[in-house]
Amino acid sequence: APAPSSRPFLPQLCVGSPPGVWVCSTDMLLSVPSLCVGSPPGVWVCSTDMLLSVPSVPEIDWDGFQGVRVIAVPGSQAYARNHGVYLVDKQGLVRDIIYKGTEAQIQQCAGPDGTVPLVCGVVFFSSSATEQLLATHVIPPLDACTYMGLDSGAPPIQLSLFFDIVLSMVGGMTEEDFVKGGGDASVRSARSVLWTALRAFPLSMVCIPDASYDYLTTAASDHIRSLTYSMCPLPRQQPLLLEDGSSVTNCLLEGAVQLAAGSVIQHCHLQGPLEIGPGCLLTGLTTGSSSALQGCPLRDVVLQGHHVRLRDLPCRVFTLTGRLDDWQATYLNVPWAEFFHRTGIRKGDLWDAETPQKDCCLLSARLFPVLHASEALGLEDVLWLLAPAASGDRLARWRAAWRMSWQELLPCLDKAAELGARRDLFFLQGQRKVRRVLLGRQDGSLLPLIRSAVYEGYHEALLGTLDEGHSQPSLNSLVACTADDAGGLRSGPAANREWALAFGRLESGDIAGGVRELATERQKWMSSPALLVRAARHYEGAEQILIRQAVMSSCQFVTVCPAELPPLGHWVQVACPARLDLSGGWSDTPPITYEHGGAVVDVAVLVDGCRPIGARVRRIGEPELRLASLGGTPWGEAAVELVCHELGQLENYCQPHAPGALLKAAFICTQIVQFPSQKPLRDQLMENFGGGFEVHTWSRLPHGSGLGTSSILAGAVMAALYRAAGKVAGTESLIHAVLHLEQRLTTGGGWQDQVGGLVPGIKIGRSEARLPLRVEVEEILVPEGFAQILNNHLLLVYTGKTRLARNLLQDVVRNWYARLPSIVQNADALVNNAEECARALRQGNLPLIGKCLDVYWQQKKCMAPGCEPLAVGRMMDALQPYVYGQCLAGAGGGGFLYVLTKLPQQKETLHQILAKMEGLGNFSIHSIEVDTGGFSMEVVGCDPNSNTHSGEDVAM
C-alpha cells in the first residue's frame, strides 16, 4: 500500500469534473489531472487537525458545469452554531454563508432530515472562474495578496477564501453590503475588485451525504482510530492477512504479515511470518526488526523506530509505549508499580533520586536503550519489556545500556534522516511496483510514480528498474519528466468626620443604630448636587463596612496549626501560578457571592513555563519589618523598599495605594502583629519571635493583567508569613484568609483569584447564598491527556491596555444593589455557564468550552459595560475565525486576552494576524500550561539569590 506521491491528488469526487482548480485549504491548490481517475474514495486532509472522510463515491453532476462549486458535509444544527453553513435555494445555488448564526438563521438552512450543509473548506473553480480570479493578482490592491505586490512594497492584505472571495458570488448579497462589510479601506477596495471580477459566476453547492469531519488529537488511540476508520480500504492480494479496519501506509510487507483490525503499520519494511494484534501502531521498522517480532505478541502497543543523531553519531533507537498509556501514571497500559513488579526494573533505573515525584512520568523515564559498551542494540532490547519472564539476561543488558527518555530523545531526532528513509522506502515500493506491472503485464499507470521519482531525485534508480523491464514508453516518460455630572464624581473618599458616629455604630455591629445615624446626617447634605454626591460616597462607605463584615464571617473557616519555627535567617519561599477564569467570574464577588451564590471555573496556569507570582519571608535579628517589592523576579532589584519600626507606620494598611499596604495588612491578618495595640512593635516582635521579619514579593505579570495577581500574591505572602512564624495554614484556610485580608485592605474582591492560583489544575469553586461565606472547591476531572490538549490550544495575548478593575467593581456592586433585571439574570447565567463549562471540560469538548468562553465574555460585558476597549474588540474580531472562544481575563477593561484556538500551536499564526493590524500598541502573545502541582513552599537554608541552596520542600 504505497503512500501517495508528493503531488497531491483527489479521490473519485472529481471524476468527470471539467478542467479547473480544487482549493482544499487556505494555501494549497490541487489540480485535477487524469491522475485521479479510477482512484478509490478516500480522505482529504483539509487542515492541520481535520480529516474530511468520503467513504463512498458521491454522485455529482458535472455536465455543462460553469462557475464555482462548494462542497459541504452534513452536520447537526447544534454543531452549526459554532461553524459555517450554506444557505441554498431549490436549484442548489448558494444564497448566503452563515457563520455562527442564530438558531433561526441555521434553521432556514436545514434540509428535510434536519441536518445543515457545513462549510468544509473545499471549493472547485472552473477554468473560466480560475482565469478571472488569477487575473486579479496584478490589480491593486489585490496585488498585495501576492508576493509580487509585497516585493513592490505594497502593505499586505489578508483575504478569506469564503468570506471575501466566495462571498462575492452568493446570490443574496448586494454590492453595497459586500463592499461595506470589508473592514478597513484596503479590504473594501479589494472586495470591490473581487465583486467586479467574480460576481457573474454562479455559485453552487453539493453536500456529500455520508461524509464527515474527524478532528485529530494527540492520544494514540484517537490517532489509530482515525487511521483505521477514516482511511479507505485498499486492494490487497492477501485480504485474509490484512483485516478490514486495519491500515497500512507506505510499507513494504513481504510474506505473511497478518494485521488485525484496529491496527496500523506505517513506513515499515517487514518480512513475515508476523502477527500484529489489535490496537497496535508500528512505525519506522526495517527488515532487520522482523526476526525480533516473530513470535512476540503485540497488542495495544505503539512500537516505533527512530533515526537519532547524537552529535555526529547517527543511530537507530526503538521506543515502546502502550496505546492506553497515561503519560503520568502508566506504562505499557499498566500502573508503574505493576510494571516494576513484572520486569524487575526499579524506579531508580528510570529517574534520578532528586527527580520530583511529579516529574517521574513516562516522558522523563529513561526506558529506551541507545548505546551499549560492547553489543549492538536492536528491537529486542525494548520488546523484552512485554515478556520479561522469558527475557533471561535482558534486564542486565538493558541496565548496562545507555538509555534515554522521550524528552531526551525528542531533541535528537534526525528528521532529515527519517524523511529520507521514508522516501527511500516509498521508492523501493515503487521499484517493486514497476517490476510487478511490467512483468505481470498489468494496466497500472506508472506516470505518477515517474513524476515523483524525478521530483525527488530517484529517477536514476527507477531508470534502472525500467531498464530491467525493457519498458520503452515508461523510459521515455521518465526522461521527458526529468528534462464623561453635575455633582462631580460619585467615586471618592468617604471619611468626613460628620459621618464618623454612624460608621462607628455600623462597625460595632449596631446596624439599626448605624442606619438611624446615617439618616440623621444625610438630612444635612440635601441642599446641593455636590453635597448629595458626597453623601452618596459615604453611603457607599457604609455599604462597604457591611460587605466587609459579611465577608469576614469567612474567618471561621481559617484554621492555623502550629509548626516548627524555621531558624533565624532561613527564607520561606512560595511560588504560585497565575489563574484563568474560564466562566462564572463576578458571581464570586461580594455581595453577589453570598446573596445569590457563585460558581467559577478556574485554571491554575504557568505563564511562559513558570509560576509568575511569589513571595519569600525570613526572620531577622532586628525587631523591625523590612518590606520589599522586587522587580519581576525572585532575583530582581527592589522596586519599593520600606522599613517599619513603629506600629504607627502600619496604620495606612487599609489604603491600597500606600507603600507596602498589602504586606502590612498581611502581618495584621496573620496576627503576627497586633494592631491596634498598646504594646510597641519592637516589643511584640522580640517577645514572640526573637526579632523581626523581612518580606520580598514579586510578579512577572504586568500591572492590571487580569490574571489574579494581587489576590494570589496575598495568598503567597500569607502562606509564607504563617510558615516563617511557626504556623501552617491549609489551602482552604488561605482562600478564606485572603478574603479577610482584602476586606481589611479595602480592595474588596471575590474569591476566584486565590482559588485559581492556590488550588492546582482545573477546578470549580462554589459559594452558597448564605452567611457565613464559605468557598468550596471541586476538582474537574478531565479526560486523559486533555490538559496537554488545552496547553496546545490556549494562548495569552497581552493587549497592552491596563484594566481598571476598581471602577468596574464599584459599578458592578452598584448595579447589583440596584437589582437591575439584566444584572440579576446575568448572575444566574454566570453560574449556569460555569456549570456548563465544567461539563464541557469533563467531556474534553473544545468547541463547547470555546462556546462557554464566548458566552462568558458577553456576560462580563453585560455585568460591566465598557470593559471591552475598542482596540481589544478589534483584536477579538480579527482572531474570531481562528478560535473556538476568547475572553479578557478577570474583570476586563484590558490586561490579558486568552483564546482557545481551533488548531494547536497557533502562537506564531496569531502573532502574524495581529501584527498586520494598526493601532494595537505593544501587544504580546504568551504560552500557558495547566499547572497541576499547585503553589509550592520551600524553607531555604541560605540566600535564595544564590545558584545553589539546600532546602526543605514543604509544598502544599
Short mmCIF file of all heavy atoms in Angstrom, two decimals, residues 628-658:
data_model
loop_
_atom_site.label_atom_id
_atom_site.label_comp_id
_atom_site.label_asym_id
_atom_site.label_seq_id
_atom_site.Cartn_x
_atom_site.Cartn_y
_atom_site.Cartn_z
N ALA A 628 9.83 44.64 50.86
CA ALA A 628 10.40 44.97 49.55
C ALA A 628 9.58 44.33 48.45
O ALA A 628 9.17 43.17 48.54
CB ALA A 628 11.86 44.48 49.46
N SER A 629 9.34 45.12 47.42
CA SER A 629 8.70 44.60 46.20
C SER A 629 9.78 44.52 45.14
O SER A 629 10.42 45.52 44.80
CB SER A 629 7.58 45.54 45.75
OG SER A 629 7.04 45.12 44.53
N LEU A 630 10.00 43.29 44.63
CA LEU A 630 11.08 43.07 43.69
C LEU A 630 10.62 43.32 42.26
O LEU A 630 9.44 43.24 41.94
CB LEU A 630 11.63 41.65 43.83
CG LEU A 630 12.08 41.26 45.24
CD1 LEU A 630 12.65 39.85 45.24
CD2 LEU A 630 13.12 42.24 45.77
N GLY A 631 11.56 43.53 41.40
CA GLY A 631 11.26 43.87 40.01
C GLY A 631 11.00 42.69 39.11
O GLY A 631 11.79 42.41 38.23
N GLY A 632 9.95 41.98 39.36
CA GLY A 632 9.52 40.96 38.39
C GLY A 632 9.98 39.55 38.65
O GLY A 632 9.32 38.62 38.23
N THR A 633 11.10 39.36 39.29
CA THR A 633 11.59 38.00 39.52
C THR A 633 12.11 37.89 40.95
O THR A 633 12.38 38.90 41.61
CB THR A 633 12.74 37.65 38.55
OG1 THR A 633 13.90 38.40 38.92
CG2 THR A 633 12.36 37.94 37.12
N PRO A 634 12.27 36.67 41.44
CA PRO A 634 12.82 36.49 42.79
C PRO A 634 14.20 37.08 42.95
O PRO A 634 14.66 37.30 44.06
CB PRO A 634 12.84 34.97 42.94
CG PRO A 634 11.84 34.46 41.98
CD PRO A 634 11.87 35.40 40.82
N TRP A 635 14.87 37.34 41.83
CA TRP A 635 16.24 37.86 41.89
C TRP A 635 16.32 39.29 41.36
O TRP A 635 17.40 39.82 41.16
CB TRP A 635 17.18 36.95 41.10
CG TRP A 635 17.04 35.55 41.55
CD1 TRP A 635 17.65 34.96 42.64
CD2 TRP A 635 16.22 34.55 40.96
NE1 TRP A 635 17.24 33.66 42.76
CE2 TRP A 635 16.37 33.37 41.74
CE3 TRP A 635 15.37 34.53 39.87
CZ2 TRP A 635 15.72 32.19 41.44
CZ3 TRP A 635 14.70 33.36 39.57
CH2 TRP A 635 14.88 32.21 40.35
N GLY A 636 15.17 39.91 41.12
CA GLY A 636 15.19 41.27 40.59
C GLY A 636 15.53 42.29 41.66
O GLY A 636 15.47 42.03 42.87
N GLU A 637 15.89 43.49 41.22
CA GLU A 637 16.20 44.56 42.15
C GLU A 637 14.92 45.07 42.80
O GLU A 637 13.85 45.04 42.20
CB GLU A 637 16.88 45.71 41.41
CG GLU A 637 18.25 45.35 40.85
CD GLU A 637 18.92 46.54 40.19
OE1 GLU A 637 18.32 47.64 40.23
OE2 GLU A 637 20.02 46.37 39.66
N ALA A 638 15.02 45.54 44.05
CA ALA A 638 13.85 46.01 44.77
C ALA A 638 13.32 47.30 44.13
O ALA A 638 14.05 48.27 43.97
CB ALA A 638 14.19 46.26 46.23
N ALA A 639 12.04 47.27 43.73
CA ALA A 639 11.42 48.45 43.16
C ALA A 639 10.90 49.36 44.28
O ALA A 639 10.89 50.58 44.14
CB ALA A 639 10.27 48.05 42.25
N VAL A 640 10.44 48.79 45.38
CA VAL A 640 9.95 49.53 46.55
C VAL A 640 10.53 48.89 47.79
O VAL A 640 10.47 47.66 47.94
CB VAL A 640 8.41 49.52 46.63
CG1 VAL A 640 7.95 50.26 47.88
CG2 VAL A 640 7.80 50.14 45.39
N GLU A 641 11.14 49.68 48.67
CA GLU A 641 11.67 49.17 49.94
C GLU A 641 11.14 50.02 51.08
O GLU A 641 11.02 51.24 50.96
CB GLU A 641 13.20 49.18 49.95
CG GLU A 641 13.82 48.12 49.06
CD GLU A 641 15.33 48.06 49.22
OE1 GLU A 641 16.01 48.89 48.60
OE2 GLU A 641 15.81 47.20 49.99
N LEU A 642 10.78 49.37 52.18
CA LEU A 642 10.19 50.07 53.31
C LEU A 642 10.59 49.35 54.59
O LEU A 642 10.57 48.11 54.63
CB LEU A 642 8.66 50.10 53.16
CG LEU A 642 7.85 50.81 54.22
CD1 LEU A 642 8.14 52.30 54.19
CD2 LEU A 642 6.35 50.57 53.97
N VAL A 643 10.95 50.10 55.63
CA VAL A 643 11.26 49.51 56.93
C VAL A 643 10.33 50.12 57.97
O VAL A 643 10.23 51.36 58.09
CB VAL A 643 12.73 49.76 57.33
CG1 VAL A 643 13.02 49.13 58.69
CG2 VAL A 643 13.67 49.20 56.27
N CYS A 644 9.62 49.27 58.70
CA CYS A 644 8.67 49.71 59.73
C CYS A 644 9.27 49.43 61.12
O CYS A 644 9.53 48.25 61.45
CB CYS A 644 7.33 49.01 59.58
SG CYS A 644 6.52 49.33 58.01
N HIS A 645 9.46 50.48 61.92
CA HIS A 645 9.99 50.34 63.27
C HIS A 645 8.91 50.53 64.32
O HIS A 645 9.03 50.05 65.44
CB HIS A 645 11.09 51.38 63.54
CG HIS A 645 12.25 51.28 62.59
ND1 HIS A 645 13.25 50.36 62.75
CD2 HIS A 645 12.55 52.00 61.48
CE1 HIS A 645 14.14 50.50 61.77
NE2 HIS A 645 13.73 51.50 60.98
N GLU A 646 7.82 51.25 63.97
CA GLU A 646 6.76 51.59 64.92
C GLU A 646 5.41 51.12 64.39
O GLU A 646 5.20 51.02 63.17
CB GLU A 646 6.71 53.11 65.13
CG GLU A 646 8.02 53.76 65.51
CD GLU A 646 8.50 53.34 66.91
OE1 GLU A 646 7.65 52.88 67.70
OE2 GLU A 646 9.70 53.48 67.19
N LEU A 647 4.49 50.85 65.33
CA LEU A 647 3.14 50.44 64.92
C LEU A 647 2.45 51.50 64.08
O LEU A 647 1.68 51.19 63.17
CB LEU A 647 2.28 50.14 66.15
CG LEU A 647 2.36 48.74 66.76
CD1 LEU A 647 1.46 48.63 67.98
CD2 LEU A 647 1.97 47.68 65.73
N GLY A 648 2.72 52.77 64.37
CA GLY A 648 2.08 53.85 63.62
C GLY A 648 2.36 53.79 62.14
O GLY A 648 1.57 54.29 61.32
N GLN A 649 3.47 53.16 61.79
CA GLN A 649 3.80 53.04 60.37
C GLN A 649 2.93 52.01 59.65
O GLN A 649 2.99 51.90 58.43
CB GLN A 649 5.28 52.67 60.22
CG GLN A 649 6.23 53.78 60.67
CD GLN A 649 7.67 53.34 60.64
OE1 GLN A 649 8.13 52.58 61.50
NE2 GLN A 649 8.39 53.81 59.62
N LEU A 650 2.13 51.27 60.42
CA LEU A 650 1.25 50.27 59.81
C LEU A 650 -0.18 50.76 59.64
O LEU A 650 -1.00 50.06 59.04
CB LEU A 650 1.22 49.00 60.68
CG LEU A 650 2.54 48.28 60.91
CD1 LEU A 650 2.30 47.03 61.75
CD2 LEU A 650 3.20 47.90 59.60
N GLU A 651 -0.52 51.95 60.19
CA GLU A 651 -1.92 52.35 60.23
C GLU A 651 -2.52 52.64 58.85
O GLU A 651 -3.74 52.67 58.69
CB GLU A 651 -2.11 53.55 61.15
CG GLU A 651 -1.42 54.83 60.69
CD GLU A 651 -1.60 55.96 61.70
OE1 GLU A 651 -2.32 55.75 62.70
OE2 GLU A 651 -1.03 57.05 61.47
N ASN A 652 -1.69 52.82 57.83
CA ASN A 652 -2.23 53.04 56.48
C ASN A 652 -2.38 51.73 55.70
O ASN A 652 -2.49 51.74 54.48
CB ASN A 652 -1.36 54.02 55.69
CG ASN A 652 0.06 53.52 55.49
OD1 ASN A 652 0.44 52.48 56.05
ND2 ASN A 652 0.84 54.25 54.71
N TYR A 653 -2.42 50.62 56.43
CA TYR A 653 -2.58 49.33 55.78
C TYR A 653 -3.87 49.22 55.00
O TYR A 653 -3.99 48.41 54.07
CB TYR A 653 -2.51 48.20 56.82
CG TYR A 653 -3.77 48.05 57.63
CD1 TYR A 653 -4.79 47.19 57.25
CD2 TYR A 653 -3.96 48.79 58.80
CE1 TYR A 653 -5.95 47.06 57.98
CE2 TYR A 653 -5.11 48.67 59.54
CZ TYR A 653 -6.12 47.80 59.13
OH TYR A 653 -7.27 47.68 59.86
N CYS A 654 -4.89 50.02 55.37
CA CYS A 654 -6.20 49.94 54.71
C CYS A 654 -6.30 50.91 53.54
O CYS A 654 -7.39 51.10 52.97
CB CYS A 654 -7.31 50.22 55.72
SG CYS A 654 -7.16 51.81 56.56
N GLN A 655 -5.18 51.50 53.14
CA GLN A 655 -5.15 52.37 51.96
C GLN A 655 -4.36 51.64 50.87
O GLN A 655 -3.13 51.58 50.92
CB GLN A 655 -4.49 53.71 52.30
CG GLN A 655 -5.22 54.48 53.38
CD GLN A 655 -4.48 55.72 53.83
OE1 GLN A 655 -3.61 56.23 53.12
NE2 GLN A 655 -4.82 56.22 55.02
N PRO A 656 -5.06 51.03 49.93
CA PRO A 656 -4.39 50.12 48.98
C PRO A 656 -3.21 50.71 48.23
O PRO A 656 -2.29 49.98 47.87
CB PRO A 656 -5.52 49.74 48.01
CG PRO A 656 -6.77 49.98 48.78
CD PRO A 656 -6.49 51.12 49.69
N HIS A 657 -3.21 52.03 48.00
CA HIS A 657 -2.13 52.62 47.24
C HIS A 657 -0.96 53.06 48.10
O HIS A 657 0.05 53.55 47.58
CB HIS A 657 -2.65 53.80 46.41
CG HIS A 657 -3.68 53.40 45.40
ND1 HIS A 657 -3.40 52.59 44.32
CD2 HIS A 657 -5.02 53.68 45.32
CE1 HIS A 657 -4.50 52.39 43.61
NE2 HIS A 657 -5.49 53.04 44.20
N ALA A 658 -1.08 52.90 49.42
CA ALA A 658 0.03 53.26 50.31
C ALA A 658 1.16 52.25 50.13
O ALA A 658 0.91 51.06 49.89
CB ALA A 658 -0.44 53.29 51.75
#
